[in-house]
Amino acid sequence: LSELEALMERMKRLQEDKEDDEASQEEMATRFEKEKKESLLVISGGISAFPVPFSFDDEIVSTDVSRYIEDPGFGYKDFARRGEDHLPTFRAQDYTWENHGFSLVNRLYSDIGHLLDEKFRMVYNLTYNTMATHEDVDTTTLRRALFNYVHCMYGIRYDDYDYGEVNQLLERSLKVYIKTVTCYPERTTKRMYDSYWRQFKHSEKVHVNLLLMEARMQAELLYALRAITRHLT
C-alpha cells in the first residue's frame, strides 16, 4: 500500500475498532503515559530514539534569531527530564480552555477570548473533506490526533481520548516533524516538509502546520491561565 492508502486504512480500522470495543480509562491512561514518555525521546532535526529512514542533520540551518528577540537563550525545554518515572501531567478536565481559560482571558482583556476561540475552532475544523486525491473523507480523527499529540508533548491529557490513535495515525518521521515545527521552528527544513505525506497537497500540509501552531498556543495559554487562576484564588 502507498503511504496514503495505508493511512486511510488505519483510519478506517480505528473507526471500526471504536465501534466494536472501547478502551477502558485505565488503558487510555497507560497509552497516554507511553506516548508522553516517547515524545521526550523524539528530537528535532531527525536525531531520534526511533529509527527513521533518513537523517536531517546535514540540512539543519543554524539560523541566528538572536537579533529578533531580547533573550537569545530563551527557547523550548521539555516539560520533564528523560528517564523520570513520574512525569507531570496536566489533566485537561481540571482546567479546560472552554470552561476556564476562555472566561478568564476575557476578564483580563475584553473580547480577546472570543477572538482566540474563533481562531482555534476555525483551524481545528478546517477541512476540504479530502486526502490527496480522495474526496468525501472524514478527517476528524486525523486532525484530533495531530492536535492532541502536541498537547501530549506538553504533558496535557484528555481523559476521554484514546492515545492509541496517535500512535497508529502519526508515523515516526511525522512525529519528528511535529516536534521540530512546534518546539524548534527555526530548524525546519524543506526536506523535512517534503519527507512526510508525499502524496498530499501543499494546502493539506500547510493545514497541518496551522494545527500544530494553534495547538501549541492553546497549550501555553492553558498553563499560563491556570497559574493566574491559582494566584487569584
Side-chain angles (χ1 to χ4, degrees), residues 8 20 63-64 86 92-93 105 112 175 202:
M8 293 192 65
D20 295 338
T63 307
D64 180 16
H86 303 288
Q93 275 66 19
V105 80
I112 193 67
K175 287 182 177 179
H202 286 299

Side-chain angles (χ1 to χ4, degrees), residues 134-157:
H134 295 265
E135 298 182 351
D136 298 321
V137 180
D138 183 358
T139 60
T140 303
T141 304
L142 186 57
R143 285 181 279 125
R144 183 172 59 235
L146 288 164
F147 196 92
N148 285 357
Y149 181 63
V150 173
H151 279 206
C152 179
M153 289 195 305
Y154 281 83
I156 299 174
R157 178 197 168 199

Side-chain angles (χ1 to χ4, degrees), residues 88-125:
T89 295
F90 183 133
R91 295 182 70 253
Q93 275 66 19
D94 295 336
Y95 197 93
T96 65
W97 165 254
E98 293 80 6
N99 298 330
H100 305 91
F102 172 80
S103 58
L104 175 59
V105 80
N106 259 348
R107 282 171 51 198
L108 299 174
Y109 195 136
S110 180
D111 292 332
I112 193 67
H114 294 286
L115 296 174
L116 288 170
D117 191 62
E118 182 181 359
K119 186 161 70 88
F120 292 147
R121 291 178 185 274
M122 181 179 65
V123 171
Y124 187 87
N125 294 321

Side-chain angles (χ1 to χ4, degrees), residues 2-227:
S2 69
E3 183 182 28
L4 172 63
E5 298 297 334
L7 177 58
M8 293 192 65
E9 181 63 29
R10 290 197 298 271
M11 290 173 62
K12 180 181 177 181
R13 191 166 60 246
L14 273 174
Q15 188 60 40
E16 292 172 349
D17 291 345
K18 184 178 293 186
E19 294 173 356
D20 295 338
D21 184 28
E22 192 168 324
S24 67
Q25 282 293 319
E26 184 178 353
E27 288 174 324
M28 291 197 291
T30 300
R31 291 169 185 173
F32 168 78
E33 291 298 328
K34 179 181 178 183
E35 201 64 50
K36 181 173 63 171
K37 289 180 180 178
E38 288 186 352
S39 72
L40 295 176
L41 300 175
V42 177
I43 303 176
S44 72
I47 312 168
S48 172
F50 306 117
V52 291
F54 44 77
S55 173
F56 304 128
D57 295 353
D58 56 343
E59 293 211 4
I60 295 178
V61 180
S62 56
T63 307
D64 180 16
V65 297
S66 60
R67 62 182 180 275
Y68 301 117
I69 55 180
E70 294 181 1
D71 181 6
F74 181 81
Y76 170 83
K77 291 184 180 180
D78 283 321
F79 67 92
R81 295 179 180 178
R82 295 174 205 168
E84 288 185 3
D85 293 329
H86 303 288
L87 303 181
T89 295
F90 183 133
R91 295 182 70 253
Q93 275 66 19
D94 295 336
Y95 197 93
T96 65
W97 165 254
E98 293 80 6
N99 298 330
H100 305 91
F102 172 80
S103 58
L104 175 59
V105 80
N106 259 348
R107 282 171 51 198
L108 299 174
Y109 195 136
S110 180
D111 292 332
I112 193 67
H114 294 286
L115 296 174
L116 288 170
D117 191 62
E118 182 181 359
K119 186 161 70 88
F120 292 147
R121 291 178 185 274
M122 181 179 65
V123 171
Y124 187 87
N125 294 321
L126 178 64
T127 179
Y128 301 122
N129 293 313
T130 63
M131 287 182 65
T133 57
H134 295 265
E135 298 182 351
D136 298 321
V137 180
D138 183 358
T139 60
T140 303
T141 304
L142 186 57
R143 285 181 279 125
R144 183 172 59 235
L146 288 164
F147 196 92
N148 285 357
Y149 181 63
V150 173
H151 279 206
C152 179
M153 289 195 305
Y154 281 83
I156 299 174
R157 178 197 168 199
Y158 294 88
D159 291 345
D160 58 350
Y161 180 69
D162 183 359
Y163 288 85
E165 293 186 7
V166 168
N167 203 40
Q168 293 187 56
L169 295 178
L170 309 184
E171 66 272 16
R172 292 162 180 169
S173 60
L174 179 54
K175 287 182 177 179
V176 173
Y177 178 78
I178 290 171
K179 186 158 189 177
T180 306
V181 169
T182 306
C183 306
Y184 311 97
E186 73 279 3
R187 300 183 188 178
T188 309
T189 65
K190 186 176 185 301
R191 186 182 177 188
M192 296 173 69
Y193 171 85
D194 291 336
S195 67
Y196 82 95
W197 290 358
R198 295 174 179 84
Q199 297 167 296
F200 281 65
K201 301 172 185 175
H202 286 299
S203 60
E204 294 169 317
K205 297 177 79 167
V206 168
H207 183 206
V208 170
N209 285 5
L210 293 174
L211 268 173
L212 301 184
M213 292 295 96
E214 294 303 321
R216 186 187 79 167
M217 184 177 188
Q218 189 177 109
E220 293 170 339
L221 277 172
L222 284 173
Y223 274 103
L225 295 171
R226 185 182 66 167

